[in-house]
Amino acid sequence: MVVVLVLSVTVLYIARPALVQLVDAKTFSRWRMLWVCMTLALFLAHSYWLYVFMVAAYALVMARREAHVMGVYFLLLFVAPPASTEVPGMGLVNYILVLNQYRLLALVLLLPAAIALFQRSSTLKWGRSSVDWMVLAYLVLISLLRFREANLTSGLRDIVTIGLDVFLPYYVASRSLRSLNGFKYALAGFAMSAMMLTAMAVIEVVLSWQLYFSVLNALGLNSMEFGGYLYRGAFLRPNATVGNSIVFGYVAMVALGYFFFLKEYVEPAKLKWLGVGLLLMGVASSLSRGPWVGAGFLLVVYLIQGPRALKKLTTTVLVIVAAWVMLNVLPMGKVVLDMLPFVGTVDEFNVEYRANLLTSALPVIERNLWLGSVDYLRAPELQVMVQGDGIIDIVNTYVGVVLNAGLIGLGLFVGAFVLAFKQVRAATRKAVTHGAEAVVLGRALSATLAAVMLVIYTVSSILAVSVVYWTVLGVCVAYVGLMKQPVSGPEPSAS
């Protein structure tokens, strides 16, 4: 607890000159105190239900005063590991719901905000964006498919879970952001949280110590839910509060994409580089190749949409070449090179496993082409993919979707992202009337969305992966809606 608090306060102290240019000083102080108080609650509660009560009490008493609910949601999303526990059924059913940090925040923060937004006449009506229909069709499909093998109680529970995990994050993100100021606050909350996680991840790598491992036992949760200590080469792969190193790298990558917009409000230039550098450190410290490739792809997509794209890309390539030369010269350079994608030799079996997974899954997909199946993991072709711990890791979100929901489900899932990307690109070209910052926001969002679509090819929708990409999708829809509106003042509270 002491280490986590020292790291958090240190990062916030260093980043404060930049962050107070993104959110007002009172909001920054309030959010800083909120992070500290929730961290203290997490470590000192010694009961998960007491922690839940404290979060719910905050939402009931204080969150209603927040004008920017998505900023608070993003800030608290990563304050605690998403370890799960069952809500007792009080003798009526075995259990009501599997609760974790993400669903807790959906219940106490997003659900009240969604109700308020739904009742407000100025809220963008459902269906005004074609992405809405893609998302709705996908949710209806996977909800119905849950009844293929489940009983009525289990199926209804799954529908509630889908609402908390998918619908609420998407709906509130897509409807609550109605001005550039609203985007600024929301994305600043995400970046602020990711910056603190970066410091924790670096310490975990350097000290080979998972900072949040023991607190799960203290809360009465399963400390092994996210596995034990995993290494890449000689270095511990950090979990921070997200439970998995590749998921942490993915979160840091998304925060980096958001900061490409936020930096437009930050002066002087050294503070911009401080923010970018800190989030790049987060991506690097994840020791995960997928987010590394995703961050590089994000940068390229962002640069090619902006002015002097060729010059900036050339400079980027020269920096990469110079770094490559330095790594070949420095004594520790070989260690880093061995972990790089495409050229590294450390944990090559992970790359081979992903390639073999796709090959093994194809005949299973072909047998259940349109709507997938519920027992695909028992298919003999996939049984050869069983790992040492006895599980088949579907380390590809697209493969997971098509195995479960077939080509129809995959078409709706991918269609939502592709359609959102095309609409953001079109809106960016018309965003000049909203100011230069609006154009940069469009570039940052399209680059982030493209990078997310790439990275989820290398990881299943575990932990924060799906929550983050549904909110990214919602933020993109909100941006397209804003660019269709005349320039206006700050939006009213969504809380």
Side-chain angles (χ1 to χ4, degrees):
M1 181 187 72
V2 172
V3 172
V4 167
L5 288 175
V6 169
L7 290 172
S8 301
V9 172
T10 301
V11 169
L12 292 177
Y13 176 79
I14 295 173
R16 185 184 187 281
L19 292 173
V20 293
Q21 297 180 61
L22 302 174
V23 301
D24 62 85
K26 289 185 178 180
T27 298
F28 172 79
S29 298
R30 189 169 62 252
W31 286 5
R32 177 180 57 192
M33 185 57 65
L34 177 59
W35 176 278
V36 170
C37 289
M38 288 305 172
T39 299
L40 285 170
L42 178 71
F43 278 90
L44 297 179
H46 283 256
S47 164
Y48 183 69
W49 296 112
L50 180 56
Y51 170 75
V52 168
F53 173 78
M54 292 178 180
V55 175
Y58 159 76
L60 184 65
V61 176
M62 299 297 296
R64 294 178 181 274
R65 304 176 188 178
E66 288 285 350
H68 304 282
V69 66
M70 284 306 297
V72 176
Y73 171 74
F74 283 144
L75 179 73
L76 294 182
L77 195 61
F78 306 117
V79 79
S84 57
T85 191
E86 295 178 352
V87 179
M90 306 301 179
L92 301 176
V93 292
N94 291 334
Y95 65 95
I96 297 174
L97 179 72
V98 174
L99 190 66
N100 59 30
Q101 177 74 0
Y102 309 145
R103 290 172 188 163
L104 172 61
L105 293 179
L107 282 169
V108 302
L109 283 180
L110 298 187
L111 182 58
I115 294 172
L117 287 165
F118 183 77
Q119 294 174 339
R120 187 174 296 140
S121 60
S122 60
T123 300
L124 181 69
K125 301 302 180 184
W126 184 268
R128 293 289 296 275
S129 169
S130 52
V131 179
D132 290 347
W133 294 112
M134 283 285 188
V135 172
L136 180 61
Y138 176 72
L139 296 186
V140 170
L141 176 64
I142 62 175
S143 296
L144 293 175
L145 292 179
R146 295 294 175 93
F147 288 95
R148 287 180 294 192
E149 189 170 317
N151 56 39
L152 179 62
T153 302
S154 179
L156 292 176
R157 184 189 299 122
D158 288 343
I159 291 176
V160 172
T161 299
I162 291 169
L164 295 175
D165 293 349
V166 181
F167 179 77
L168 283 177
Y170 171 80
Y171 181 79
V172 178
S174 62
R175 266 60 188 179
S176 65
L177 306 180
R178 288 177 285 166
S179 73
L180 285 178
N181 194 52
F183 280 94
K184 183 155 62 78
Y185 273 74
L187 305 191
F190 195 103
M192 186 173 170
S193 185
M195 288 176 180
M196 288 182 282
L197 292 189
T198 292
M200 297 170 202
V202 170
I203 291 299
E204 289 188 349
V205 172
V206 172
L207 300 182
S208 293
W209 174 24
Q210 291 183 2
L211 294 173
Y212 287 85
F213 187 85
S214 59
V215 74
L216 297 181
N217 277 332
L219 290 169
L221 302 174
N222 179 16
S223 61
M224 296 302 295
E225 182 174 345
F226 311 120
Y229 278 53
L230 300 178
Y231 288 81
R232 171 143 287 169
F235 300 99
L236 176 71
R237 301 186 69 176
N239 284 357
T241 62
V242 295
N244 182 277
S245 57
I246 191 171
V247 179
F248 164 68
Y250 161 82
V251 168
M253 179 200 74
V254 171
L256 177 66
Y258 287 165
F259 196 79
F260 283 159
F261 159 66
L262 296 173
K263 66 177 177 56
E264 296 300 303
Y265 296 91
V266 176
E267 294 293 344
K270 65 180 181 181
L271 291 180
K272 298 182 182 184
W273 285 107
L274 174 65
V276 171
L278 190 58
L279 294 171
L280 279 174
M281 186 186 300
V283 176
S285 66
S286 71
L287 304 181
S288 300
R289 297 182 177 110
W292 289 355
V293 174
F297 184 65
L298 189 155
L299 177 61
V300 170
V301 175
Y302 176 77
L303 290 179
I304 62 177
Q305 299 178 72
R308 302 186 301 278
L310 182 59
K311 179 181 178 181
K312 292 179 180 178
L313 284 172
T314 302
T315 303
T316 303
V317 170
L318 291 176
V319 170
I320 293 173
V321 171
W324 180 273
V325 172
M326 289 182 63
L327 288 174
N328 278 280
V329 173
L330 294 173
M332 287 292 293
K334 182 65 165 61
V335 176
V336 177
L337 290 173
D338 278 345
M339 290 190 288
L340 292 178
F342 311 117
V343 298
T345 57
V346 174
D347 292 347
E348 285 184 296
F349 64 87
N350 285 336
V351 179
E352 295 172 0
Y353 185 90
R354 283 169 167 78
N356 293 336
L357 173 67
L358 183 58
T359 302
S360 300
L362 286 176
V364 184
I365 294 170
E366 187 176 358
R367 282 201 301 272
N368 308 278
L369 190 60
W370 297 109
L371 293 174
S373 68
V374 295
D375 59 349
Y376 58 85
L377 289 177
R378 293 196 287 269
E381 294 90 347
L382 285 176
Q383 284 299 306
V384 300
M385 301 303 297
V386 175
Q387 301 184 93
D389 48 7
I391 66 169
I392 301 172
D393 195 358
I394 307 296
V395 285
N396 185 317
T397 290
Y398 302 110
V399 171
V401 169
V402 73
L403 284 170
N404 179 65
L407 287 183
I408 295 177
L410 182 65
L412 294 172
F413 180 81
V414 174
F417 287 88
V418 172
L419 193 57
F421 180 82
K422 291 179 63 177
Q423 291 180 358
V424 171
R425 289 291 302 120
T428 304
R429 289 191 287 268
K430 301 176 181 178
V432 179
T433 56
H434 288 259
E437 292 84 1
V439 176
V440 175
L441 175 58
R443 292 170 55 199
L445 290 180
S446 59
T448 302
L449 185 60
V452 165
M453 293 171 66
L454 175 64
V455 172
I456 61 176
Y457 183 82
T458 69
V459 64
S460 57
S461 293
I462 57 172
L463 306 172
V465 171
S466 62
V467 173
V468 170
Y469 65 59
W470 288 120
T471 57
V472 171
L473 196 65
V475 170
C476 288
V477 170
Y479 173 78
V480 174
L482 176 63
M483 293 304 105
K484 292 179 179 178
Q485 302 298 322
V487 179
S488 60
E491 77 279 9
S493 169
S495 54

